Amino acid sequence: MLGLARDPALVATIAEISSSEIRATDSVLVSFGTRHAMSDTVSNTRGIGAARRYLFNKLSGYGAACGGCLRIEYDPAMMEMRGHPQRPMVNIVNVLAWLPGRDTTRVLVMGGHYDSCICSRSDLGPLARFESTQDAPGADDDGSGTSTIVELARVFSKHFPQGLEASVIFVAYSGEEEGLYGSTHLAQRLHAAGYKIVSAFTDDIVGNVVAEDGSVDSTSVRIFGADPDNGPSRELARYAWAAGWVYNPSFRIVPVFRLDRISRGGDHSPYVSLGDPGLRFTERLENYKRQHLPTDDFAHVNFGYVANVARLNASVVGTLANAPAPPLALARRDQASGGQKWMITWQPVTGAASYEVLFRHTFDPTYTKIYPVGVSAAPTGSPPGTLSFLLPDQLDDGWAAVRSVGANGHASLTSAVPPPCPILATRADSVAAGDLIRNCIRAPGR
């Protein structure tokens, strides 16, 4: 994807990211021995309770340093452990640091999970993931991701104490290993409160650079963006891919066009299931001999690599949180040109100074053309205020997208044209969708 702006203030923020700060946080998390969601909540030196109080206090310190710009909170929920034979109710507690934006209705969620487990004990069978007493250091899974989130909260609160255009939540999730409990709760909570989720990211397993066979890769990272190809998560993956090239081109991004690793899951998944753009960051080389085991120890985390992941996170979050909301675009074949051209239309977006229309062929992984668009006249038959662009490319052979651009030069997430079809449960849903259902791409079988 072309055309993302390079912001000097964001460059300074990225430069502030410190591998030693990340290392120090992970070291303390590992020292608690186990951070299983069902582990000790009373001790101040061991278990999930000690870990969450440590995170709360550390984030509170950053909030105090920026004059109260961060709002720190515990985010609890009593949730049933569905896979456990006794189905106990467990208090799942996320730790949140809100950086309010100028538009408090739009929220970016940047998270990692601070719980850990010895999930691979063969003697316990399916109950292994509920073992909560044995040491589970979780230095890479996911002390690395949690430490990255804490560091991002530090640098963003320092450099943007007045916030960005949209709000950002830096979140340490609990209950990931037992079934994505913390992220499921927060995603549902944010939706119920009426927030518009701009994006939901998770850093999960972002510190290993040596595979089981000894091969090494410390210069690339994977990002996972779910189907469909014109859906919001895939567009978010393309956005992150572009931001990485702009701010840290020597750290290569490997986009993976699926929700997650095969038969695996992460804390972005609950958001994706609710229709939000979601993305997972994960190390390029995983070592399954050091996941969900006592061998996932501090000595095997490469903190220079983790810092590079944090820099990528910062470039994506900072760029997207400073942009206006994306427009919802539609297309219709232009009869005057004989059907080869398409008219792209959308409604104006608050805060947008201009717009861009992008194009790629269906076999291109990302956009190859960009067309700047100002405020144009409404095409015949369109509602007043509608903006339009006559696409010179044959849309039957590709995908187009529209994004809004703020006065600060930051571009929004792209809205693909044609968009995926919404799920219509009732006739009222169909009426509300309007032109969208005559222009969308239906999934097979629908």
Side-chain angles (χ1 to χ4, degrees), residues 205-218:
I205 315 179
V206 293
N208 181 71
V209 299
V210 183
E212 295 177 18
D213 62 2
S215 56
V216 178
D217 185 347
S218 61

Side-chain angles (χ1 to χ4, degrees), residues 76-323:
M78 293 301 296
M79 306 186 78
E80 183 183 81
M81 297 289 105
R82 297 179 299 271
H84 195 285
Q86 298 175 350
R87 302 176 79 90
M89 297 297 292
V90 176
N91 191 21
I92 300 295
V93 184
N94 302 320
V95 184
L96 312 184
W98 295 70
L99 181 62
R102 285 172 278 282
D103 180 354
T104 57
T105 67
R106 295 191 300 126
V107 175
L108 289 84
V109 185
M110 183 74 235
H113 70 89
Y114 73 99
D115 63 308
S116 63
C117 74
I118 302 296
C119 302
S120 300
R121 277 185 57 179
S122 58
D123 60 313
L124 294 178
L127 290 179
R129 64 192 177 108
F130 298 106
E131 206 293 318
S132 60
T133 59
Q134 184 179 355
D135 276 5
D140 189 23
D141 184 14
D142 185 34
S144 62
T146 303
S147 302
T148 297
I149 302 311
V150 171
E151 176 65 356
L152 291 172
R154 182 183 74 86
V155 297
F156 271 92
S157 62
K158 178 178 178 180
H159 287 266
F160 297 99
Q162 303 304 313
L164 300 107
E165 292 302 319
S167 297
V168 181
I169 307 175
F170 303 100
V171 52
Y173 294 114
S174 182
E176 190 273 350
E177 299 290 8
E178 291 69 48
L180 310 180
Y181 287 102
S183 53
T184 297
H185 161 66
L186 182 59
Q188 293 173 348
R189 172 192 164 185
L190 294 174
H191 272 259
Y195 288 103
K196 172 63 177 176
I197 310 300
V198 178
S199 59
F201 304 104
T202 186
D203 277 356
D204 196 353
I205 315 179
V206 293
N208 181 71
V209 299
V210 183
E212 295 177 18
D213 62 2
S215 56
V216 178
D217 185 347
S218 61
T219 60
S220 67
V221 66
R222 291 177 292 173
I223 57 174
F224 288 83
D227 291 329
D229 194 36
N230 61 333
S233 294
R234 192 63 54 79
E235 296 299 290
L236 182 60
R238 295 183 177 103
Y239 194 101
W241 194 7
W245 275 109
V246 170
Y247 287 96
N248 194 3
S250 62
F251 190 60
R252 187 170 67 95
I253 293 171
V254 179
V256 184
F257 288 163
R258 55 167 50 119
L259 175 65
D260 212 308
R261 290 87 37 83
I262 297 171
S263 300
R264 304 291 292 274
D267 285 317
H268 62 310
S269 303
Y271 298 91
V272 174
S273 69
L274 292 172
D276 303 324
L279 193 68
R280 177 188 180 120
F281 298 85
T282 294
E283 61 204 22
R284 180 68 182 86
L285 296 178
E286 292 185 73
N287 188 330
Y288 291 101
K289 294 180 179 179
R290 290 201 292 270
Q291 287 184 18
H292 301 161
L293 292 165
T295 49
D296 184 6
D297 56 23
F298 189 72
H300 291 101
V301 177
N302 184 311
F303 289 99
Y305 179 82
V306 180
N308 271 329
V309 175
R311 293 178 185 112
L312 171 60
N313 297 156
S315 68
V316 183
V317 170
T319 302
L320 197 51
N322 256 330

